[in-house]
Amino acid sequence: MNNFPETCATKQLNSVTTGHGTAITEIPTSLRPNRSGKKNRLSVDMALSHVFETPVSGFNFENSTRNILLENVLDEGKTKAPKPLKTGTTIAGVVYKNGVVLGADTRATSSEVVADKTCAKIHYIAPNIYCCGAGTAADTEKTTDLLSSNLTIFSMNSGRNPRVVMAANILQDILFRYRGMIGANLILGGVDCTGNHLYRVGPFGSMDKVPYLAMGSGDLAAMGILEDRFKVNMEVEEAKTLVCDAIHAGIMTDLGSGNNIDLCIITRRGVDYIRPYQESEYKQRRQEKYKYKPGTTPVLTENIVPLELELVHEMVQTMETA
Amino acid sequence: MNEATQYNLKLERLGYHQFRTMERHPTNYLCKGVSTGTTILAVKFNGGVIIGSDSRASVGGSYVSSKVINKLIQIHDKIFCCIAGSLADAQAVTKMAKFQLSFHSIQMDSPPLVKAAASVLKELCYSNREDLEAGFITAGWDKKRGPQVYTVSMGGMLLSQPFTIGGSGSTYIYGYVDAKYKPDMSREECLQFATNALALAIGRDNVSGGVAHLVVITEGGVEHVVVPGEKLPKFHDE
């Protein structure tokens, strides 16, 4: 039964090749067997779901052209493609005397609905480097994961702790390569042997080293607080209050930011990831336990049908456990 | 037009602003992301060159994303280039150029010529002219020809000039530089000339601003002069 789609495919292929003889150029590219090993369009059309295809590494933008075509075709452009989950965020970072303080809100929105009230926007990159991400949630997660893996491999190979400037350069390379298609606005902060650093990396691959920074949809309000009260070489408590107030301003003025505030304080000695640093005053407690007792739904009839299974093939593979 | 710009154009036609992630400042797809929207210049004087720029980076023409960005990038010991256009593209090109130049100077076992640096930038800009939006002014000192100034435009044209201005703010100072430039100025005269030109451009262009960065390159070395906003010369500003 499973062979049907395969034979159908090969039959079609054969008929085309024999029909056209040696004129390989006449075979449309979709049916030509390709040597590179990548799947050709024929297998996609036949939907060979049982054939396991190893995923091509990296990001795949095949669907973006499909989405454009769909938008143009469906209802003459009145139907829009579904919007990706964005964090609609306020994130901020500040360099202080002994390190870096990063802060973020915890709301993830999907258009008008809050999809996640406790979203973690401060991502781990290295023991001494953390990154806040604004923009498309999936993009920031995956990009920071990629960066973290790369840096771990680098530090294992070279025996050195990664530097913040290296992380920023890798991010810049990744994002520039994808020409702005990855919607990730990142604040990269960390402490290394050269000092305390804070970098902004934009979705097109622009990098900027700054002493204080706010990004996301609530950044204008947060920037106002930071511009007013930032001082060079602040103490840790002052820096924490400043970042917390900046995120709070973003939460109050922006609909896409809200719920709790997370803080991450990075110093030479280590990292203090306080989650949540400040809980939202508007938290609702659940009124009841939303669990149904067994017997809530009455059983009317019961019908048991034993399945008759025939043992077709048995294979025993011995495992060597030395 | 490359794939990304085509995609963005289609989205624009359908009513999307590109990347509603920063919803307060929808970007103009013609200049991706952060743009330097700038004033840059380089002037040859007797014994060296002065290369200068403002320090503002903007997004979409209405939001200043950085007031103190550095647009004077050192691509070799005595060769600087200043960037205009899309910040991401310019940073990527200069990173590539830095690498290629240092490799070239290791192979030749001597510092590269300023013309070589400008050529490297031109090659990168010209071969990727469909996808990139960045222009450069390269200036420096080398032993063979002394102080030189080259301009590499957005499409990849390379020109050698005694002085050159670039960026969006340069349109306001063409008259001033044409009238006031003299060949073989002294270092102080040239510094004053460059500062005045930057101040005039910053005064009229909304996407130029911040501080004025100036770098003086001579045979003896490199000197970085920063003139903060309030110390810039004033021309009938109330």
Side-chain angles (χ1 to χ4, degrees):
Chain A
M1 190 174 79
N2 276 341
N3 282 330
F4 179 66
E6 249 169 347
T7 44
C8 178
T10 44
K11 264 201 187 130
Q12 225 170 328
L13 200 59
N14 285 336
S15 66
V16 172
T17 47
T18 49
H20 288 264
T22 54
I24 296 173
T25 48
E26 288 175 55
I27 302 176
T29 39
S30 57
L31 298 177
R32 226 191 304 148
N34 61 47
R35 284 170 217 114
S36 60
K38 289 191 220 138
K39 61 175 188 199
N40 53 25
R41 265 189 55 221
L42 178 63
S43 57
V44 172
D45 292 342
M46 298 304 284
L48 301 171
S49 56
H50 64 282
V51 175
F52 174 69
E53 279 163 1
T54 43
V56 180
S57 63
F59 291 91
N60 185 347
F61 286 108
E62 275 175 8
N63 283 338
S64 61
T65 30
R66 179 204 74 172
N67 287 343
I68 298 168
L69 290 170
L70 279 178
E71 276 173 3
N72 287 330
V73 159
L74 294 174
D75 294 338
E76 293 120 26
K78 288 198 210 97
T79 314
K80 305 272 188 231
K83 280 174 129 166
L85 172 68
K86 291 175 17 281
T87 47
T89 257
T90 309
I91 47 177
V94 148
V95 174
Y96 74 98
K97 191 161 104 184
N98 298 324
V100 175
V101 177
L102 297 172
D105 72 306
T106 57
R107 178 178 286 185
T109 50
S110 172
S111 299
E112 296 78 39
V113 178
V114 175
D116 190 353
K117 289 183 278 195
T118 50
C119 173
K121 298 182 191 177
I122 308 184
H123 309 284
Y124 166 87
I125 305 287
N128 56 330
I129 307 174
Y130 276 72
C131 178
C132 304
T136 311
D139 288 345
T140 57
E141 291 263 353
K142 277 300 163 192
T143 314
T144 46
D145 272 351
L146 259 173
L147 174 64
S148 177
S149 316
N150 274 342
L151 283 182
T152 317
I153 293 175
F154 161 79
S155 51
M156 280 190 217
N157 277 336
S158 65
R160 293 169 91 157
N161 281 331
R163 295 193 186 177
V164 190
V165 68
M166 178 176 184
N169 273 314
I170 296 177
L171 271 179
Q172 183 178 41
D173 284 342
I174 296 175
L175 293 174
F176 182 75
R177 204 181 326 145
Y178 290 97
R179 331 253 35 232
M181 301 299 256
I182 299 181
N185 292 286
L186 304 164
I187 296 184
L188 193 70
V191 176
D192 59 29
C193 57
T194 52
N196 316 322
H197 305 288
L198 191 66
Y199 284 89
R200 174 230 313 269
V201 184
F204 289 95
S206 55
M207 182 173 90
D208 194 12
K209 184 169 188 317
V210 281
Y212 60 89
L213 183 55
M215 290 192 97
S217 49
D219 67 338
L220 291 176
M223 212 41 167
I225 304 284
L226 289 173
E227 291 270 8
D228 185 34
R229 285 160 40 185
F230 174 79
K231 291 196 291 290
V232 186
N233 283 338
M234 281 185 289
E235 294 298 326
V236 64
E237 285 308 321
E238 208 185 331
K240 275 159 72 172
T241 322
L242 177 59
V243 175
C244 189
D245 287 348
I247 307 283
H248 187 74
I251 288 174
M252 285 295 127
T253 45
D254 178 42
L255 296 175
S257 311
N259 302 97
N260 308 331
I261 299 179
D262 291 346
L263 274 194
C264 183
I265 300 121
I266 311 170
T267 55
R268 282 193 92 88
R269 263 173 241 108
V271 173
D272 197 8
Y273 193 153
I274 310 173
R275 184 173 148 76
Y277 178 76
Q278 194 184 79
E279 292 208 324
S280 155
E281 304 119 52
Y282 306 101
K283 248 177 107 118
Q284 265 255 315
R285 301 258 159 249
R286 287 225 169 90
Q287 306 294 333
E288 308 177 9
K289 273 194 162 52
Y290 296 104
K291 260 188 137 95
Y292 290 100
K293 289 196 298 292
T296 314
T297 316
V299 177
L300 298 177
T301 49
E302 207 176 299
N303 187 9
I304 302 175
V305 175
L307 284 172
E308 276 163 22
L309 297 170
E310 192 187 300
L311 183 59
V312 173
H313 176 70
E314 190 179 338
M315 187 176 83
V316 175
Q317 188 167 41
T318 47
M319 198 160 63
E320 307 255 335
T321 48
Chain B
M1 225 192 291
N2 76 330
E3 194 194 86
T5 327
Q6 279 176 340
Y7 178 61
N8 291 334
L9 265 177
K10 289 200 172 103
L11 287 180
E12 278 279 324
R13 266 186 235 131
L14 295 169
Y16 271 97
H17 283 294
Q18 183 184 316
F19 286 117
R20 282 202 155 274
T21 49
M22 306 252 298
E23 237 126 356
R24 305 280 154 123
H25 7 265
T27 52
N28 176 9
Y29 69 81
L30 282 171
C31 195
K32 306 159 281 191
V34 179
S35 122
T36 49
T38 188
T39 310
I40 48 178
L41 50 77
V43 193
K44 235 192 319 195
F45 67 90
N46 192 4
V49 288
I50 291 187
I51 188 167
S53 80
D54 70 312
S55 69
R56 181 173 286 186
S58 53
V59 175
S62 62
Y63 178 68
V64 175
S65 70
S66 177
K67 298 175 283 189
V68 286
I69 199 156
N70 180 26
K71 298 180 206 175
L72 297 177
I73 300 183
Q74 183 168 25
I75 49 178
H76 203 80
D77 294 342
K78 292 215 181 83
I79 309 176
F80 275 69
C81 80
C82 40
I83 59 183
S86 158
L87 184 59
D89 289 348
Q91 284 180 339
V93 170
T94 47
K95 268 167 90 167
M96 191 64 173
K98 248 171 141 169
F99 161 73
Q100 285 188 6
L101 264 182
S102 74
F103 186 67
H104 168 74
S105 81
I106 289 173
Q107 280 190 320
M108 304 285 278
D109 198 23
S110 83
L113 298 178
V114 187
K115 175 127 196 218
S119 282
V120 163
L121 286 168
K122 175 217 59 178
E123 263 317 305
L124 289 168
C125 284
Y126 183 71
S127 15
N128 300 301
R129 64 189 182 280
E130 312 284 319
D131 304 319
L132 289 175
E133 280 160 35
F136 304 89
I137 291 181
T138 316
W141 187 95
D142 67 47
K143 220 161 85 161
K144 186 165 171 189
R145 292 210 188 99
Q148 294 147 79
V149 170
Y150 292 89
T151 168
V152 178
S153 70
M154 240 176 238
M157 172 187 79
L158 173 62
L159 273 185
S160 167
Q161 293 173 316
F163 72 93
T164 186
I165 54 179
S168 58
S170 65
T171 48
Y172 306 102
I173 49 172
Y174 273 107
Y176 176 77
V177 297
D178 285 341
K180 288 289 184 177
Y181 172 74
K182 295 193 307 281
D184 280 336
M185 284 188 275
S186 73
R187 183 183 173 281
E188 282 63 36
E189 276 181 316
C190 195
L191 252 181
Q192 191 59 53
F193 170 72
T195 319
N196 285 348
L198 280 174
L200 285 166
I202 287 172
R204 286 291 181 177
D205 185 26
N206 70 323
V207 283
S208 302
V211 305
H213 286 290
L214 295 153
V215 171
V216 185
I217 309 170
T218 55
E219 184 178 0
V222 163
E223 189 198 328
H224 200 132
V225 177
V226 175
V227 186
E230 72 267 12
K231 295 225 176 62
L232 282 174
K234 295 201 186 338
F235 296 90
H236 316 290
D237 292 346
E238 298 316 314

